[in-house]
Amino acid sequence: MAESTKSAKLSIDGKEYELPIFAPTAGPDVVDIRKLYAQAGVFTYDPGFTSTASCDSTITYIDGDKGELLHRGYPIDQLAGNSHYLEVCYLLLYGELPTPAELEDFECRVTNHTMLHEQMMNFFRGFRRDAHPMAVMTGVVGAMSAFYHDSTDIADPWQREVASIRLIAKMPTIAAMAYKYTIGQPFVYPRNDLDYASNFLRMCFAVPAEDYEVNPILSRAMDRIFTLHADHEQNASTSTVRLASSSGANPFACIAAGIACLWGPAHGGANQACLEMLNEIGTVDRIPEFIARAKDKNDPFRLMGFGHRVYKNFDPRAKVMKQSADEVLDLLGVENNPILQVAKELEAAALADPYFAEKKLFPNVDFYSGIILEAMGFPTSMFTPIFALSRTVGWISQWKEMIADPQNKIGRPRQLYLGSTARNYVDIENR
Ligand code: ACO
């Protein structure tokens, strides 16, 4: 925990309270209100946690005004450009970039856990064929707690480590199987001679009748999508994982909670919603109509893939994603893809519009990711599962940090109660 260097004074009904202030290594100072209720008998009010730090963390830092994202201090563009997903996983989990021997050992541990317990296949078969893969993933990941009993004791650091590796290793297998199930194809088992991204692509696109040759450019683009989504500090799904695990729940149950939260269109579901929006717009001449709708207070429509709770400048991940979209579409010979044209012109039109400038609304990571994933052959329903598998390492890293913290206590927000005060029950015949 940081040392308090200065303090703030709060005056309530003429009585003064001194609140310690912590100086972070980067970012705004944090006022410590932990003893406020005990001392002053008041709560603070902050729905949506817009001004509240829920924990201290050393994993990820975002400067939303600068458009900066750091993992353990390393900028995301450097990681996306020079590193690869499993190395970033190691960095997030253990705090430092690995040596070659450490990386080899880590990759070996992950690779050796990619298979699922065979009995788990029955879980997939219990779902309707038209189930959304996120529904299947939420259920199957939750069910892991019924299969891997030897890694559910969160008080044991070794079991926490095993659960972490299992989740990172098995999530691509689960996501690919959820996809295969919904399209009625047989499951494709993982292959340990392939890298993490290539293995995932093959599990999604190979069939017993014909293997899938993994194109290195597509596998690199897939790996970059994983890397760009790996962690994002205390976002809604990560906070869900932390809150769920604060009760002592097992890691598989907590990650299933994170997946459920990620599914929403304001969070991980935005990439699916964004591509659906681009398809609905269809042609560049319809852009003004949709920009007008996004600005209309009486229309619930929002430009999906635009805006972010923290970034009030360009999302640094969106820049890398845009570049990746160009590379992938070029490789696949679809550089004149009409949806890419709509995306580029929509972005330009929104950035030139005072409404979006004033509200500091910029493209986020999801604006271009859907275009890449569609070009690779994924249906829109797979976009959020791919986000979930990428974010698993972030959830796990934050979970491990929290469990290892001696200050960890159950999360229990308070409320501003505006309901009835105590009143007597009225019998049904007298109402
Ligand atoms: N299109 C049009 N207007 C928008 C948009 C948008 N995409 N996003 C925000 N606004 C407007 C709001 O209407 C609001 O206007 P007002 O002040 O006149 O009422 C103002 O900008 C602030 O918006 P809030 O919703 O209060 O901002 P908040 O920080 O709570 O929301 C969010 C952030 C949910 C991401 C929002 O920008 C949004 O809905 N974007 C579209 C969905 C999306 O792309 N989500 C992905 C997020 S990134 C991720 O999860 C990986």
Side-chain angles (χ1 to χ4, degrees):
M1 186 76 203
E3 289 294 309
S4 153
T5 49
K6 45 186 180 173
S7 64
K9 285 204 168 46
L10 178 68
S11 173
I12 303 174
D13 295 335
K15 211 170 160 201
E16 284 221 328
Y17 302 92
E18 190 156 322
L19 303 169
I21 295 183
F22 295 121
T25 47
D29 285 351
V30 173
V31 181
D32 177 4
I33 55 157
R34 282 175 299 172
K35 297 202 173 113
L36 185 63
Y37 176 56
Q39 290 172 351
V42 295
F43 298 147
T44 56
Y45 180 60
D46 186 18
F49 305 112
T50 49
S51 301
T52 297
S54 60
C55 60
D56 53 273
S57 181
T58 60
I59 302 171
T60 291
Y61 173 71
I62 301 172
D63 186 324
D65 294 323
K66 277 205 248 164
E68 182 178 67
L69 167 62
L70 309 177
H71 291 321
R72 304 285 190 185
Y74 296 102
I76 189 65
D77 53 330
Q78 290 185 23
L79 293 172
N82 305 311
S83 181
H84 61 91
Y85 182 67
L86 281 186
E87 186 177 60
V88 173
C89 287
Y90 186 99
L91 175 69
L92 289 168
L93 283 168
Y94 306 113
E96 294 297 335
L97 287 169
T99 62
E102 285 166 340
L103 183 60
E104 194 186 333
D105 172 65
F106 180 68
E107 288 184 335
C108 185
R109 280 189 289 142
V110 171
T111 306
N112 283 312
H113 280 87
T114 49
M115 283 178 68
L116 291 187
H117 192 295
E118 195 61 19
Q119 194 73 11
M120 284 194 80
M121 306 305 161
N122 297 333
F123 269 86
F124 288 92
R125 298 202 166 94
F127 285 94
R128 281 171 58 136
R129 286 279 178 192
D130 59 358
H132 193 289
M134 281 299 275
V136 178
M137 282 184 80
T138 313
V140 172
V141 172
M144 285 176 79
S145 35
F147 283 89
Y148 301 103
H149 301 292
D150 56 346
S151 53
T152 52
D153 178 1
I154 61 160
D156 177 349
W158 172 245
Q159 293 201 28
R160 296 205 294 268
E161 179 66 20
V162 175
S164 308
I165 297 289
R166 277 184 170 145
L167 277 158
I168 293 164
K170 294 184 199 307
M171 206 57 92
T173 315
I174 293 172
M177 287 183 173
Y179 172 52
K180 285 297 197 191
Y181 184 74
T182 60
I183 56 169
Q185 289 185 2
F187 297 140
V188 175
Y189 285 72
R191 250 186 41 198
N192 287 359
D193 59 326
L194 295 175
D195 63 75
Y196 194 85
S198 303
N199 182 43
F200 175 65
L201 287 170
R202 188 183 161 275
M203 286 192 290
C204 289
F205 297 124
V207 286
E210 196 174 322
D211 207 356
Y212 175 79
E213 278 287 316
V214 185
N215 181 307
I217 297 185
L218 291 192
S219 139
R220 178 79 191 113
M222 188 79 258
D223 188 88
R224 202 174 277 167
I225 288 178
F226 293 160
T227 303
L228 291 175
H229 288 91
D231 190 47
H232 215 224
E233 55 117 307
Q234 310 312 322
N235 57 85
S237 57
T238 302
S239 297
T240 300
V241 170
R242 279 188 180 257
L243 193 57
S245 71
S246 75
S247 71
N250 78 66
F252 305 111
C254 298
I255 300 301
I259 295 173
C261 176
L262 187 77
W263 195 357
H267 191 10
N271 49 16
Q272 173 171 349
C274 180
L275 196 77
E276 285 165 359
M277 174 195 76
L278 294 174
N279 278 315
E280 194 191 342
I281 298 174
T283 48
V284 291
D285 56 301
R286 296 192 66 204
I287 290 174
E289 177 197 329
F290 281 82
I291 295 262
R293 282 187 61 195
K295 289 158 52 175
D296 182 356
K297 281 272 145 264
N298 299 316
D299 189 330
F301 173 77
R302 283 187 169 197
L303 272 195
M304 299 316 282
F306 253 79
H308 197 275
R309 169 59 63 79
V310 181
Y311 292 119
K312 300 304 170 195
N313 197 328
F314 241 91
D315 178 340
R317 303 167 300 172
K319 288 185 188 164
V320 185
M321 206 62 98
K322 186 178 184 179
Q323 196 190 328
S324 231
D326 282 331
E327 280 170 23
V328 169
L329 295 188
D330 191 34
L331 169 84
L332 298 173
V334 282
E335 65 269 37
N336 293 324
N337 174 309
I339 296 307
L340 183 67
Q341 294 309 324
V342 170
K344 285 189 172 172
E345 302 231 359
L346 179 64
E347 178 188 337
L351 290 176
D353 192 302
Y355 172 93
F356 294 91
E358 275 157 27
K359 296 190 186 303
K360 299 184 175 171
L361 298 169
F362 293 88
N364 60 49
V365 67
D366 291 324
F367 195 68
Y368 283 101
S369 64
I371 294 172
I372 306 177
L373 293 171
E374 188 184 58
M376 284 174 167
F378 286 106
T380 48
S381 60
M382 274 304 285
F383 295 179
T384 317
I386 289 170
F387 189 166
L389 98 79
S390 320
R391 181 55 57 85
T392 297
V393 69
W395 292 329
I396 300 269
S397 305
Q398 303 270 350
W399 166 78
K400 279 182 84 183
E401 180 178 71
M402 178 181 147
I403 302 286
D405 183 352
Q407 294 192 90
N408 176 27
K409 54 164 74 173
I410 189 165
R412 179 40 173 107
R414 307 308 292 252
Q415 63 175 4
L416 168 62
Y417 178 67
L418 298 174
S420 293
T421 50
R423 49 185 172 161
N424 289 325
Y425 178 77
V426 180
D427 289 333
I428 196 156
E429 59 273 15
N430 296 326
R431 282 176 224 159

